Structure formats: structure tokens, C-alpha cells
Amino acid sequence: QVQLQESGPGLVKPSETLSLTCAVSGYSINTGYYWDWIRQSPGEGLEWIGCFHPGGTTYYNPSLNSRVTISFDTSKNEFSLRLTSVTAADTAIYYCARRGGHDSVDYWGQGTLVSVSS
Amino acid sequence: DIQMTQSPSSLYASVGDRVTITCRASQGIRNDLGWYQQKPGKVPKRLISVASNLESGVPSRFSGSRSETEFTLTISSLQPEDFATYYCLQYNSYPLTFGGGTKVGIK
């Protein structure tokens, strides 16, 4: 059974950097699939942030204006999200997820709420 | 970016009703669309992939279809556990984009 679990600070100050990690169990991220970050602002819809594939490709949502970096550590079987220069608009539940090639997201983490506030 | 226009944004229906939710893509996405159900405080759950493939364990009252760039999620007979918010997701091209969501409430 594939499981994903997000971790990281629940509170970040404006202008600082949001950093989250997704630990994956039940599947090796180095084997394949795309690994996504998705967020959901309180009471709002879903926004795709970006992804990586162990083959070496990374894609980001242009709406985040190059503030995003996704990296991975195959030795720990986890991947990470870094979002710089955060504002209150970045307050959201952040999900990590798995997605097949030419398929939709099949596994989601439980999500972690990150609030941006001073 | 491919825009996914989902309608209606909310609807109110009774148990047993037939419910239809639509997502229209701003350009062709083949069958590269999934449907998700999200209940308050919960993680989205995939119902359908590749426009019409029902996820294992999902009741057969849910179905998906496609006509050109218009995709439809149908619940043939609404059950109490189906009251939730539904989203479509296109994965044809980057950035991936979700529809705005449809909240299905109790009439």
C-alpha cells in the first residue's frame, strides 16, 4: 500500500521560505511515476504546484513565478517542496501526491496546513 | 494553460436524483481527465480516470463520459454519502489544472 506523509512547519512568516517534505512508503520514488505537490487554500479549490519524475524532469506551475523548487532524496524515499517569498496568499493545505504517466493522481498524502502570518 | 470550466459551482439535490456535473476544457485534452470527490476535511478521492474508467471500489452509480472537450460526471441515483464537492483534473499538459469544483448539497 502506497502511503505519503507531508511534514514541515505549520507557520511561516511573510517573505520567508516554506519548506515541506513528503515521505513515501510502499513504493520507491526512484522506480517511476510522477510526484506532485498540490495545494488548497482554505475553503477554495485545488491548485497544482509542480512535480518531478525520477527520470530527471521537473515541471512547475508558472503562476508561482519561479518561487518553487521541488527536489528529491531517493536514499530517504522522500521529496520536498520549497516556496520562497511567501505571502498570506500562500496559506493553504499542501498535499503531496503520486500520479501515473498520462494518468491522474491516484495516491494523496493527508495534507498539511501551512499558515503564513507574522 | 488549459482552463477547465466546471459547472455548476453548486447544486442541491435529493437522494435518488440523477446528478450531472460538467467540465469543459479550453482546448483538446484527449481523454486525459480524472474526477475526484472531496468531503469536508478529507483528502480528494479519485472516482474516475481517463475520462470514463471507474476506480476500483467506486460504486457503479458514478460514471464519466466525454464529448470532444466536454466531460461529464454523472451520479445516476444520488446517495446520502455522495454529498460532497467534486473536481475534475486535466493531466494532458502542464501545468495540470483543476476545475473550480461543484458542491453537491442536500435539497
Side-chain angles (χ1 to χ4, degrees), chain B residues 8-101:
Chain B
S9 57
S10 64
L11 65 89
Y12 296 89
S14 301
V15 172
D17 284 354
R18 181 181 181 88
V19 168
T20 299
I21 299 168
T22 298
C23 268
R24 180 172 284 107
S26 59
Q27 63 191 72
I29 60 169
R30 304 184 304 183
N31 285 325
D32 298 337
L33 183 120
W35 286 100
Y36 294 83
Q37 176 193 68
Q38 187 178 34
K39 296 182 179 179
K42 300 297 186 182
V43 177
K45 172 188 174 183
R46 187 169 69 174
L47 301 175
I48 285 169
S49 61
V50 202
S52 61
N53 289 358
L54 195 66
E55 190 77 358
S56 175
V58 174
S60 60
R61 62 181 179 271
F62 290 92
S63 64
S65 63
R66 170 200 169 198
S67 176
E68 301 289 338
T69 59
E70 184 170 290
F71 298 82
T72 300
L73 172 69
T74 300
I75 309 172
S76 61
S77 177
L78 196 66
Q79 297 303 299
E81 61 268 30
D82 301 337
F83 292 99
T85 300
Y86 294 83
Y87 295 94
C88 63
L89 165 65
Q90 74 79 18
Y91 49 89
N92 178 263
S93 62
Y94 292 106
L96 305 191
T97 46
F98 290 89

Side-chain angles (χ1 to χ4, degrees), chain A residues 42-78:
Chain A
E44 300 295 327
L46 296 155
E47 179 182 29
W48 180 81
I49 298 170
C51 72
F52 85 93
H53 186 278
T57 53
T58 306
Y59 298 96
Y60 300 129
N61 195 326
S63 69
L64 293 167
N65 295 324
S66 301
R67 296 190 293 132
V68 179
T69 303
I70 294 174
S71 59
F72 59 95
D73 186 336
T74 55
S75 67
K76 295 180 179 179
N77 212 41
E78 62 185 32

